[in-house]
Amino acid sequence: MGAINPALKPRLRRRSVFEYLAWVVCILLGLGILISVLTNPNFKWHVVARYFTHETIIRGLMLTIFLTLASMALGTVLGLVLAIMRSSSIKPVAATAGVYITLFRGTPVLVQLIFWFNIAALYPNLTIGIPFTDFSTAVDVNALMAPITAALVGLTLNEAAYMAEIIRGGFSAVGKGQIEAADSLGMSAVMKMRKVIIPQAMPSIIPATGNQVIGMFKETSLVSVLGVAELLQSAQLIYARTYETIPLLIVASLWYLVMTLLLSYPQAKLEQRYSRATSALPRRARRASRTEPEGIAR
């Protein structure tokens, strides 16, 4: 066994005096803020504790989780379709997906939510039927586009535009040689997408999707402007009656923080899993170079 190359030995980093001083300053500053927050009677922590598990708050939290999961699931499916269209060699198909992505990424989510909630002003009634037949059904758009429906539609369509770009970025990470090998094997476009492109794109797609889930959970607070009784709207309904605005906003903020931390854990595990898979080969190569006999030329 050859001696370990000194260049491969881990180097210990010495901590400077400035770093220790920075730690002391940060700790003192954090303790000062914490003591101020806990001892200030205006925060009314007893009110926060009373409403933290209030029935209205928990009901709003459940609706927020539902909107997050439903919007992400539907948005991911639609985003996959858009990503495939955007990568298509057929120019009109790629252009249509590009216009959609540009439109929904280029306008604020709040504006989109309000637009879908008021879509009945443009199309009060729609007729759905089979062309050249008498089979048709009239749809009252005003009754159909209830606040929660408008919230789900708005969040889904907006999320689809972002997921389309994330998925398309994952597609572009697949080596060109892999696609050429699939073509040489005579794979159809569907089989090539299912067997080659999507599995190899997942390490790039999943971590970014985890960030989108966390962002979507916080983004659902925007639907409160539509009157949807999600977490923020539930807190607003309570403090509109009790006039305890700050404690109820703290309750909502704490729940957002707790759920964000809970969602961050599986995201970190997924990122760790896929980063381990992509870094396994370099580690094996380094290990082999360390155990290589000295006489072998490099």
Side-chain angles (χ1 to χ4, degrees):
M1 300 296 290
I4 298 177
N5 189 342
L8 297 177
K9 291 182 179 180
R11 299 179 63 183
L12 298 177
R13 187 178 66 87
R14 295 181 178 179
R15 300 183 184 275
S16 63
V17 177
F18 178 78
E19 185 173 351
Y20 286 110
L21 290 176
W23 273 110
V24 172
V25 171
C26 290
I27 292 173
L28 292 176
L29 183 61
L31 286 175
I33 295 174
L34 181 63
I35 293 172
S36 174
V37 169
L38 293 178
T39 58
N40 190 338
N42 294 323
F43 280 95
K44 300 181 180 179
W45 291 107
H46 63 285
V47 178
V48 174
R50 185 168 74 247
Y51 284 106
F52 189 74
T53 56
H54 193 273
E55 180 183 358
T56 304
I57 296 294
I58 298 301
R59 207 163 41 233
L61 177 64
M62 293 297 106
L63 183 55
T64 295
I65 294 174
F66 166 75
L67 288 173
T68 301
L69 297 179
S71 299
M72 281 303 306
L74 296 174
T76 301
V77 173
L78 182 55
L80 176 60
V81 175
L82 289 169
I84 295 173
M85 292 173 60
R86 191 78 172 86
S87 304
S88 175
S89 58
I90 304 174
K91 296 299 182 182
V93 174
T96 301
V99 170
Y100 178 98
I101 293 170
T102 302
L103 178 63
F104 282 90
R105 290 180 69 200
T107 53
V109 185
L110 183 59
V111 174
Q112 296 175 32
L113 290 170
I114 297 174
F115 175 83
W116 290 112
F117 184 62
N118 293 280
I119 191 66
L122 297 176
Y123 299 99
N125 294 287
L126 290 177
T127 301
I128 302 175
I130 301 176
F132 310 109
T133 65
D134 295 332
F135 182 80
S136 62
T137 302
V139 177
D140 184 359
V141 178
N142 192 36
L144 176 65
M145 200 59 68
I148 191 169
T149 306
L152 189 58
V153 170
L155 293 174
T156 297
L157 296 180
N158 179 265
E159 186 61 32
Y162 287 92
M163 286 304 302
E165 289 298 279
I166 291 174
I167 295 172
R168 189 170 69 92
F171 288 171
S172 64
V174 179
K176 189 177 180 181
Q178 299 288 329
I179 300 175
E180 292 175 350
D183 291 333
S184 66
L185 292 174
M187 289 187 177
S188 63
V190 175
M191 180 176 291
K192 181 171 62 177
M193 182 66 65
R194 186 166 57 90
K195 296 289 188 179
V196 178
I197 298 178
I198 292 180
Q200 296 189 51
M202 291 304 286
S204 300
I205 294 174
I206 287 183
T209 303
N211 289 330
Q212 289 297 113
V213 173
I214 294 174
M216 174 61 72
F217 181 79
K218 294 180 289 185
E219 213 167 70
T220 54
S221 61
L222 295 175
V223 305
S224 61
V225 300
L226 307 182
V228 178
E230 44 72 61
L231 180 56
L232 179 59
Q233 177 71 4
S234 299
Q236 290 174 333
L237 291 174
I238 296 176
Y239 73 62
R241 185 178 68 253
T242 63
Y243 301 103
E244 294 170 328
T245 305
I246 297 299
L248 267 301
L249 289 178
I250 293 175
V251 169
S253 300
L254 288 176
W255 271 118
Y256 282 119
L257 180 60
V258 167
M259 294 305 299
T260 299
L261 292 175
L262 291 177
L263 291 172
S264 298
Y265 179 76
Q267 178 198 2
K269 286 298 182 182
L270 286 172
E271 291 181 356
Q272 182 181 1
R273 174 184 175 185
Y274 283 102
S275 65
R276 187 187 304 119
T278 55
S279 62
L281 183 58
R283 282 205 305 270
R284 285 197 293 268
R286 289 195 299 269
R287 192 180 302 118
S289 66
R290 293 177 185 177
T291 57
E292 197 172 308
E294 290 182 339
I296 297 178
R298 289 180 174 80

